[in-house]
Amino acid sequence: YFKQMAAEVMAVDKSMIGLRRVTNLSENQYQSMYSGMVSSAKEYGATLTEIIDGTTDWVKLGFAPETAQDLSNLTAMYQHVTDLDNATATKNLVTAYKGFEKSLLKTYDGDQTAAIEHIIDVYDKLGRELPTRNYIG
């Protein structure tokens, strides 16, 4: 049990180092962000490492750290609902966002988080309304 706990602490530390490499925030901002990430991990049933790494991924894609944290939370929610891994969930959301970025930002007055949330809603609706079919051919 202690080995597992130590491994998780090391993984979280490694993830935070990765986040610090791609951002330039004050220590208070990191502490606030970390506290929010802990809450998000509990809320969305994700690991803390997934939330931190997700935030890092969104920052690397050009999003501001605060927005990236919100997008990481949305990704965790989407990941949980769809049973996808974090990387695939992020890729799905980024692909749709980049494809419709101009119209989404216009519709949501530049709010990137609302735009990504809309994409998740569309994916959810499609998943519920379109039956899964197995085609042989």
Side-chain angles (χ1 to χ4, degrees):
Y1 180 76
F2 288 112
K3 284 183 182 181
Q4 182 182 357
M5 192 168 70
E8 185 60 29
V9 168
M10 294 295 286
V12 167
D13 189 49
K14 181 180 176 184
S15 292
M16 283 302 295
I17 290 169
L19 179 62
R20 287 175 183 265
R21 284 185 180 147
V22 298
T23 57
N24 188 22
L25 304 174
S26 70
E27 193 57 39
N28 286 339
Q29 288 173 307
Y30 284 119
Q31 288 175 3
S32 176
M33 197 176 229
Y34 182 82
S35 180
M37 290 175 182
V38 169
S39 297
S40 295
K42 290 177 186 176
E43 181 178 349
Y44 299 116
T47 67
L48 183 54
T49 304
E50 287 174 326
I51 298 291
I52 298 167
D53 290 344
T55 301
T56 302
D57 291 342
W58 285 104
V59 169
K60 286 178 181 178
L61 291 165
F63 293 87
E66 297 79 14
T67 302
Q69 184 177 2
D70 292 339
L71 296 177
S72 179
N73 294 343
L74 289 174
T75 304
M77 179 184 67
Y78 174 65
Q79 174 187 352
H80 182 72
V81 170
T82 59
D83 290 330
L84 295 172
D85 62 82
N86 193 272
T88 303
T90 302
K91 183 179 177 183
N92 287 355
L93 296 174
V94 169
T95 300
Y97 176 78
K98 291 297 183 181
F100 298 98
E101 183 174 10
K102 285 184 181 181
S103 62
L104 285 167
L105 291 178
K106 184 177 179 182
T107 300
Y108 292 98
D109 295 323
D111 187 339
Q112 296 167 315
T113 303
I116 298 288
E117 199 166 2
H118 175 75
I119 292 167
I120 292 171
D121 291 342
V122 169
Y123 280 157
D124 181 53
K125 185 175 182 176
L126 288 171
R128 285 184 282 116
E129 292 181 3
L130 295 177
T132 303
R133 295 187 180 154
N134 293 323
Y135 292 100
I136 301 174

